[in-house]
Amino acid sequence: MRSPNELARKFREKQLKLTPQRQLLFGLLHQNDSHPSAENLFEAASKQMPGISLRTVYQTLGELAEMGELQMVDVGTGAKRFDPNISDHHHFVCESCGAIRDVEIAAKPKLRDGSGKFEISQVGVVFHGRCENCVPSAKRSPAQQVKQKATKK
Amino acid sequence: MRSPNELARKFREKQLKLTPQRQLLFGLLHQNDSHPSAENLFEAASKQMPGISLRTVYQTLGELAEMGELQMVDVGTGAKRFDPNISDHHHFVCESCGAIRDVEIAAKPKLRDGSGKFEISQVGVVFHGRCENCVPSAKRSPAQQVKQKATKK
DNA sequence: TTGTTAGTTAGCAATAGTTGCAAAATAGAT
DNA sequence: ATCTATTTTGCAACTATTGCTAACTAACAA
Ligand SMILES: [Mn+2]
Ligand SMILES: [Mn+2]
Ligand SMILES: [Zn+2]
Ligand SMILES: [Zn+2]
């Protein structure tokens, strides 16, 4: 899933052209486990490909998500996040620095609901709190892993 | 928490004036367990108080949330939802009709994470799927409990 | 190589949801 | 009845994202 041929083949079989923009974004995302937003990826991409359009970033991320090559995650902090880790996992969001970390849930939750006739296709669990860099005891300054321009509450 | 005096006192002690708009919205929300959006409440309020402003609805809901009188819930379907049920619970969102139902999680999840030094202040669990009115076997037409103007994916 | 063209990109307008701002209105106290 | 700190409103502004379309180009042929 990381070799250039692999990528080329995957694109071809979905009749998607192997454009420089797609290669760049795919690569950037896979080097990035910080759960970047489209804007974050646009900034990163712009460094290597000045002039790339934000529209293309959205477009491409959408396509990769449809292809199952990445997960679109909404942790409720405004912009959607893009995650190359497509395994079934959940997230912890630091309220202080905005960092997002993967979290595994050990116990499979058992729903307690009257009817019990639901058909569940997706479960999203988001923990909000402070990460180890941000809990008061830790003196270090917040990590600020992901640039957040206007940390909207 | 439902008598008129109770309400008046609560507002007074936070030095909030007991305006007709606030009374109306507080009442509407407490009669409504469908997890309405600001827009939904605005429509409902407009019937009883034509001319009320959407801005006031947002303002008031924000205040009530700060007062701890309601929960603002983001289930990732676009607009925030407002919930008079302030107990610690989670949600199920039907992908077909948009209905949102309360869900209790029986087992307390145990986080499995290397560091384990997080300080968690809030956990949000959102289940997406189809409700009993919308699972294929059920012939009934989708409930359409909450008007969704443009069911954005 | 040189076409040919289906698929792609970039730019910009438009949208949804929500908040900022300032002027007009009013609850509640005197 | 008067006063004034709050509140309400209308509207502009804003963020994140999508729609539309003209210009561009990867991939396949000739
Ligand atoms: Mn993740
Ligand atoms: Mn609820
Ligand atoms: Zn942090
Ligand atoms: Zn349903």
Side-chain angles (χ1 to χ4, degrees):
Chain A
M1 193 187 281
R2 209 57 283 296
S3 82
N5 289 27
E6 270 281 306
L7 180 56
R9 189 174 45 65
K10 278 198 170 168
F11 276 136
R12 255 196 304 277
E13 66 191 26
K14 311 256 175 175
Q15 56 239 54
L16 290 179
K17 291 181 179 174
L18 190 63
T19 66
Q21 288 89 340
R22 281 173 179 157
Q23 294 175 79
L24 174 58
L25 287 167
F26 184 87
L28 285 176
L29 188 75
H30 278 267
Q31 287 162 26
N32 190 332
D33 62 346
S34 74
H35 302 84
S37 64
E39 191 74 43
N40 293 154
L41 287 164
F42 171 61
E43 281 165 35
S46 294
K47 283 175 192 152
Q48 300 190 222
M49 187 185 284
I52 187 175
S53 158
L54 174 59
R55 188 68 188 78
T56 298
V57 174
Y58 274 109
Q59 177 105 328
T60 302
L61 292 174
E63 290 161 351
L64 291 172
E66 274 184 55
M67 289 172 65
E69 290 296 317
L70 61 83
Q71 268 190 80
M72 261 190 194
V73 190
D74 183 347
V75 295
T77 51
K80 286 189 183 63
R81 302 315 190 98
F82 297 87
D83 191 346
N85 176 352
I86 55 176
S87 76
D88 191 351
H89 67 285
H90 301 287
H91 299 92
F92 167 78
V93 181
C94 177
E95 289 160 347
S96 175
C97 70
I100 301 179
R101 312 269 293 259
D102 289 339
V103 167
E104 307 289 327
I105 305 223
K108 315 235 175 315
K110 288 167 176 49
L111 298 192
R112 166 153 43 90
D113 170 272
S115 59
K117 295 285 189 304
F118 298 156
E119 182 182 294
I120 289 163
S121 63
Q122 191 197 125
V123 181
V125 182
V126 180
F127 299 82
H128 286 257
R130 292 174 176 269
C131 72
E132 67 271 45
N133 294 323
C134 297
V135 285
S137 61
K139 302 307 175 303
R140 292 152 291 181
S141 64
Q144 217 69 29
Q145 262 127 303
V146 172
K147 219 160 299 160
Q148 358 163 226
K149 41 180 56 169
T151 315
K152 55 146 60 170
K153 168 49 197 317
Chain B
M1 194 189 279
R2 209 59 281 296
S3 80
N5 290 27
E6 271 282 305
L7 179 57
R9 189 175 46 65
K10 276 195 171 168
F11 276 134
R12 256 195 304 276
E13 68 192 23
K14 310 257 176 175
Q15 58 237 52
L16 290 179
K17 291 181 180 175
L18 189 65
T19 68
Q21 288 88 339
R22 281 174 178 156
Q23 295 175 77
L24 174 58
L25 287 168
F26 184 88
L28 285 176
L29 187 76
H30 278 269
Q31 287 162 25
N32 191 333
D33 61 348
S34 74
H35 302 84
S37 65
E39 192 74 42
N40 292 156
L41 287 163
F42 171 62
E43 280 166 36
S46 294
K47 283 176 191 152
Q48 300 191 222
M49 187 185 284
I52 188 174
S53 159
L54 174 58
R55 188 69 188 76
T56 298
V57 174
Y58 274 109
Q59 177 104 328
T60 302
L61 291 174
E63 289 162 351
L64 290 172
E66 274 184 56
M67 289 172 66
E69 291 296 318
L70 61 83
Q71 267 190 81
M72 260 189 195
V73 188
D74 184 346
V75 293
T77 50
K80 286 190 185 65
R81 301 316 190 98
F82 297 87
D83 192 346
N85 177 352
I86 55 177
S87 77
D88 191 350
H89 67 286
H90 302 288
H91 298 93
F92 166 78
V93 181
C94 177
E95 289 160 348
S96 174
C97 69
I100 301 178
R101 312 268 293 257
D102 290 338
V103 168
E104 309 289 327
I105 306 221
K108 315 236 174 314
K110 287 166 176 49
L111 298 192
R112 165 152 43 90
D113 171 273
S115 60
K117 294 286 191 301
F118 298 155
E119 181 182 294
I120 289 163
S121 63
Q122 190 196 126
V123 181
V125 182
V126 180
F127 299 83
H128 287 258
R130 291 174 177 268
C131 73
E132 67 271 43
N133 295 322
C134 298
V135 286
S137 62
K139 302 307 175 304
R140 292 151 290 180
S141 64
Q144 217 68 29
Q145 263 129 302
V146 173
K147 219 159 298 163
Q148 354 163 229
K149 43 180 55 169
T151 316
K152 56 148 62 172
K153 166 53 196 312

